[in-house]
Amino acid sequence: GILGLGGVGHMGVKVAKAMGHHVTVISSSDKKREEAMGHLGADEYLVSSDVESMQKAADQLDYIIDTVPVVHPLEPYLSLLKLDGKLILMGVINTPLQFVSPMVMLGRKSITGSFIGSMKETEEMLEFCKEKGLASM
């Protein structure tokens, strides 16, 4: 899953699709659906404010790359993760995040994050993007 469809989210969709993953874009409204699916090739689009759709999508994702750079609740997204799923924080937020701990504990879920990989990983990713013709928008 890719949460947030800005610059980092765009590249997340492109890279994940190039790696052969099934990609679900998660956004707060329907306004970026065409961009996500038509232009970037996402397989599914989930509106986080649609309670019924979110409930249907529960326990479906292996991981979510969270690119949202503002404070937001984590529980709705943690519920989308399968057993041992990971929520990977990529959006820089300068305020403490809060979540209800059973959401993590009951599904053995992890919350993690990273700014950048090693020099070797960065080189590998740049080479992968070159081979696949991937570029930012």
Side-chain angles (χ1 to χ4, degrees):
I2 305 290
L3 175 58
L5 198 61
V8 175
H10 283 134
M11 285 305 295
V13 174
K14 288 180 174 187
V15 169
K17 287 303 297 177
M19 290 179 163
H21 294 287
H22 181 92
V23 177
T24 300
V25 169
I26 309 158
S27 190
S28 60
S29 74
D30 208 33
K31 68 182 182 180
K32 294 187 179 181
R33 181 183 298 272
E34 177 57 31
E35 180 179 9
M37 298 184 78
H39 300 292
L40 297 173
D43 299 290
E44 295 184 52
Y45 189 89
L46 185 59
V47 178
S48 61
S49 58
D50 182 341
V51 176
E52 187 177 322
S53 294
M54 290 290 283
Q55 287 174 342
K56 285 180 183 175
D59 304 316
Q60 298 291 312
L61 303 176
D62 295 306
Y63 54 88
I64 297 171
I65 298 173
D66 181 346
T67 70
V68 178
V70 297
V71 173
H72 56 285
L74 299 182
E75 288 88 356
Y77 311 108
L78 289 168
S79 71
L80 299 174
L81 294 171
K82 293 179 180 178
L83 184 68
D84 294 322
K86 291 184 176 149
L87 179 67
I88 305 156
L89 302 174
M90 299 291 292
V92 177
I93 302 170
N94 293 323
T95 322
L97 295 175
Q98 295 182 341
F99 59 92
V100 180
S101 62
M103 291 292 297
V104 175
M105 297 159 61
L106 292 174
R108 294 190 322 228
K109 298 171 184 179
S110 303
I111 300 173
T112 187
S114 178
F115 275 121
I116 190 166
S118 67
M119 190 63 97
K120 181 178 185 280
E121 291 168 324
T122 301
E123 289 171 355
E124 288 172 0
M125 183 51 75
L126 289 171
E127 187 59 33
F128 178 81
C129 288
K130 180 181 172 187
E131 287 172 11
K132 300 292 184 177
L134 304 177
S136 62
M137 295 174 74

